Amino acid sequence: MKFFNRELELRSLRNIWHAVKSGKFNFVVITGRRGVGKTRLLFEFANRENVPMIYLFVEKKGMESLLSKFIQRVEYSLNIRVPKVKSLEDFLFLLKNIAKTREVLVVFDEFQNFKYCGIEIFSVFQEAIDEMKFEKDLRLMIVAIGSMIGMLREIFESEASPLYGRRTSEIFLKPFEFWEIRSLLKDLGVISEEEIIEIYSMLGGMPRYYDTIDRLGLRITKENVIKYFTVKTYPGWREVRNELIEEFREAHATYFSILEAIATGNVTSNEIANYTGIREKSIHKYLNELANYFEIIEKRVPVLASKRARGARYFIRDPFYSFWFRYIFPNSDLIELEQYKIVQDEIIRDLPNYVSFIFEEIIRRTILKIAGKDIQGVKIPIVNYVGSWWDRKGNEVNIVGTRGREIRIIGEVKWRKTAFTHKDLEKFIGKMHLLNVKDALIIIVSRGGFTESVKKYIEEKNGLALTLKDLEEVWERLRGS
């Protein structure tokens, strides 16, 4: 699959490289979850800019074995002969000497794996980087790539770490937004907006899985995505589990049960505790780590409520992990037993319920991105947050856009195939009254369209009644932004 987007990150790397070519050493850190495209970004950059790159993958091996492979890579990449080295200090000194005669980019992929060689390794890097920063005419750019978000924070952001404050630049590679993935899928021949939304709800913004499925010669369809994760001969059902076990280590069983609980709709701390059997007093420790250390989930409170408000809900950040923990992880035993149809039928049956939640988030992200612009001649107010609101009585509003403490946008999202009716409208107006909203822009999104009277009412209120067809134009605009 062709390289997709990331123009902002490529521009940043290009600017840094221009500084390196003038003799200014740089140490760059690129982080992001596995599958987000970090390594591909570096190879694309090197190819576009004709940059001499030495790519070094840091395996979980002893230093002697790593250094032997590193030397081979240096010789192969630069087509030169270099002496053998016995220590990391000597290897970094070798790179420094090479960079005095030529410009070079050195990439250490899965940088956090150096810890298996001993924690003192990071002190060696610190000393070398400190020296290189003061070297004149050193045309060297070292890039550290890593996927273990929590571990990388310890290495680069902890004040006790030797490498704290040593990076000259950092790029955090985020998953693609929905409209970016939509553009990718359009290029791959997926036409239906419904199917694009369904596929995104399963694979999220991680390009790795789109690339893998395409590389296997499978056309990217809803059915083939489900097949990839439910058929034993494909790696999707097991690969994620193995990667997260490595990241979560000995606590993986606890984290897995919490993520399964959230993915299956248990979103309050009390619901999660009941589902997992973990005491509610203990559950907050794990939830905090998943949110702030591993950055896999996020805590949300009703719009305008304080961050400490009761009734907080927890959500998995990327749709891919939500899909995997909702359908694949709980059914691993059936996949192992090759009972594929049972799992696939369950996914197909429940998918509309699951997609409805992802669709709500797609609309919230879309409104936040389009704020300040026009849709169908209606100016979207500038907001700095778009979330949702709920109370203990079960009332909920899908879309609440705010600027400070002011509600500027309020709306509803429906994924169902039937039209948004007058009864739906009455319920929505009732919830507006609960929030005491009077002057906010009304935005209703309905996959099944609207009855004529409802559409007329919303338009008379200078609001927006949007279908998927209407959103196509919005997403096309965002595609080029």
Side-chain angles (χ1 to χ4, degrees):
M1 192 172 75
K2 70 176 184 179
F3 183 81
F4 182 74
N5 211 318
R6 303 299 190 196
E7 295 303 323
L8 180 64
E9 291 82 3
L10 287 168
R11 195 180 310 124
S12 296
L13 289 170
R14 193 179 304 119
N15 292 339
I16 296 168
W17 183 246
H18 286 163
V20 170
K21 288 170 71 174
S22 69
K24 297 174 182 177
F25 166 77
N26 267 269
F27 177 52
V28 181
V29 176
I30 299 180
T31 59
R33 299 211 67 81
R34 275 201 176 113
V36 80
K38 302 178 297 297
T39 305
R40 183 77 182 271
L41 172 68
L42 264 298
F43 274 92
E44 182 69 18
F45 165 69
N47 288 334
R48 286 194 188 187
E49 303 298 320
N50 197 26
V51 173
M53 181 174 77
I54 304 170
Y55 175 77
L56 307 171
F57 184 80
V58 184
E59 299 176 84
K60 296 175 185 175
K61 292 184 175 181
M63 184 54 71
E64 185 177 347
S65 176
L66 284 176
L67 290 173
S68 176
K69 287 200 169 185
F70 288 176
I71 289 296
Q72 291 175 23
R73 292 298 300 178
V74 170
E75 292 182 333
Y76 174 79
S77 301
L78 301 182
N79 195 26
I80 59 174
R81 298 289 296 172
V82 296
K84 304 297 182 187
V85 296
K86 294 183 178 180
S87 67
L88 180 61
E89 292 97 324
D90 291 343
F91 181 70
L92 294 173
F93 183 76
L94 171 66
L95 293 178
K96 184 171 73 171
N97 284 338
I98 291 172
K100 287 181 178 179
T101 60
R102 65 170 74 191
E103 58 206 34
V104 63
L105 164 64
V106 180
V107 178
F108 291 100
D109 202 347
E110 298 299 351
F111 184 83
Q112 73 278 347
N113 286 343
F114 272 121
K115 74 181 181 66
Y116 294 101
C117 298
I119 199 69
E120 69 279 358
I121 293 300
F122 300 119
S123 295
V124 174
F125 269 101
Q126 176 220 322
E127 292 178 13
I129 289 167
D130 286 347
E131 289 178 9
M132 290 176 185
K133 283 182 178 179
F134 295 103
E135 287 273 351
K136 289 185 177 181
D137 300 321
L138 188 64
R139 293 175 291 170
L140 175 61
M141 178 175 171
I142 294 179
V143 177
I145 300 178
S147 302
M148 305 292 186
I149 304 297
M151 202 180 297
L152 290 162
R153 278 189 162 180
E154 290 179 0
I155 294 170
F156 294 109
E157 296 181 16
S158 169
E159 292 187 14
S161 171
L163 288 176
Y164 174 76
R166 262 62 189 188
R167 60 196 171 189
T168 56
S169 184
E170 179 182 22
I171 295 174
F172 179 71
L173 217 55
K174 296 180 180 180
F176 286 119
E177 294 280 7
F178 165 75
W179 47 87
E180 295 172 310
I181 291 298
R182 177 182 177 275
S183 178
L184 170 72
L185 290 171
K186 288 281 187 183
D187 291 344
L188 290 171
V190 185
I191 305 300
S192 164
E193 293 294 337
E194 283 91 347
E195 187 168 26
I196 288 172
I197 291 165
E198 289 170 334
I199 292 171
Y200 174 81
S201 297
M202 293 186 281
L203 296 183
M206 308 293 266
R208 166 188 180 181
Y209 299 103
Y210 297 89
D211 180 70
T212 301
I213 294 170
D214 179 64
R215 199 172 291 276
L216 287 167
L218 296 171
R219 196 165 67 88
I220 298 184
T221 63
K222 174 177 69 176
E223 290 76 18
N224 280 340
V225 171
I226 293 171
K227 180 180 178 182
Y228 175 75
F229 287 102
T230 56
V231 174
K232 190 177 177 181
T233 52
Y234 294 122
W237 70 283
R238 181 178 292 179
E239 194 173 51
V240 180
R241 179 179 180 274
N242 294 340
E243 290 172 358
L244 288 176
I245 285 175
E246 180 185 358
E247 187 163 3
F248 294 155
R249 290 172 279 188
E250 61 274 2
H252 73 269
T254 300
Y255 290 128
F256 275 31
S257 64
I258 291 172
L259 290 168
E260 180 185 327
I262 296 171
T264 51
N266 302 279
V267 294
T268 68
S269 59
N270 183 56
E271 289 170 345
I272 296 166
N274 289 338
Y275 185 93
T276 60
I278 301 169
R279 293 173 58 194
E280 191 170 3
K281 288 184 178 179
S282 304
I283 201 76
H284 291 285
K285 167 184 176 292
Y286 297 109
L287 291 170
N288 184 59
E289 288 171 351
L290 283 169
N292 300 315
Y293 185 79
F294 297 109
E295 297 187 4
I296 290 180
I297 69 172
E298 62 178 320
K299 177 183 177 181
R300 297 179 188 172
V301 296
V303 168
L304 299 183
S306 70
K307 290 184 179 180
R308 294 183 174 273
R310 299 187 67 179
R313 296 177 179 180
Y314 294 86
F315 298 88
I316 297 175
R317 288 175 181 266
D318 192 270
F320 169 71
Y321 284 120
S322 188
F323 169 78
W324 194 86
F325 277 102
R326 185 180 180 103
Y327 299 115
I328 309 306
F329 175 65
N331 291 307
S332 296
D333 53 345
L334 291 175
I335 297 171
E336 184 72 61
L337 293 169
E338 301 182 5
Q339 297 293 323
Y340 309 139
K341 192 172 187 312
I342 295 174
V343 182
Q344 292 167 357
D345 287 349
E346 178 186 324
I347 295 173
I348 292 294
R349 185 170 55 252
D350 183 64
L351 198 64
N353 297 323
Y354 168 68
V355 172
S356 66
F357 296 109
I358 306 301
F359 186 53
E360 288 176 14
E361 187 61 22
I362 289 171
I363 299 306
R364 284 190 283 266
R365 297 289 300 173
T366 300
I367 291 172
L368 186 62
K369 183 69 175 179
I370 207 75
K373 301 180 177 67
D374 287 3
I375 298 179
Q376 297 180 355
V378 176
K379 181 70 174 278
I380 308 300
I382 294 174
V383 292
N384 53 16
Y385 180 74
V386 180
S388 54
W389 172 89
W390 60 90
D391 64 17
R392 295 184 184 181
K393 296 179 180 179
N395 296 302
E396 185 164 353
V397 180
N398 304 142
I399 300 172
V400 185
T402 60
R403 181 78 183 269
R405 301 286 300 173
E406 179 190 0
I407 295 177
R408 293 187 170 187
I409 300 171
I410 189 163
E412 192 93 353
V413 180
K414 296 292 185 185
W415 178 246
R416 71 187 189 208
K417 293 182 179 180
T418 56
F420 194 92
T421 65
H422 191 74
K423 187 177 180 181
D424 296 317
L425 181 62
E426 286 179 342
K427 288 181 180 179
F428 172 69
I429 292 171
K431 288 183 281 189
M432 284 181 64
H433 292 155
L434 289 175
L435 278 168
N436 196 29
V437 174
K438 296 177 181 177
D439 299 322
L441 172 67
I442 296 173
I443 301 178
I444 308 291
V445 177
S446 173
R447 175 193 182 189
F450 302 84
T451 62
E452 190 174 332
S453 61
V454 168
K455 187 174 178 64
K456 183 179 179 182
Y457 175 88
I458 295 170
E459 290 174 349
E460 285 176 350
K461 295 291 183 180
N462 295 317
L464 289 167
L466 302 174
T467 63
L468 290 185
K469 185 69 177 175
D470 298 320
L471 287 166
E472 283 184 41
E473 180 187 344
V474 177
W475 290 326
E476 282 296 319
R477 286 165 62 188
L478 293 178
R479 177 180 186 172
S481 63

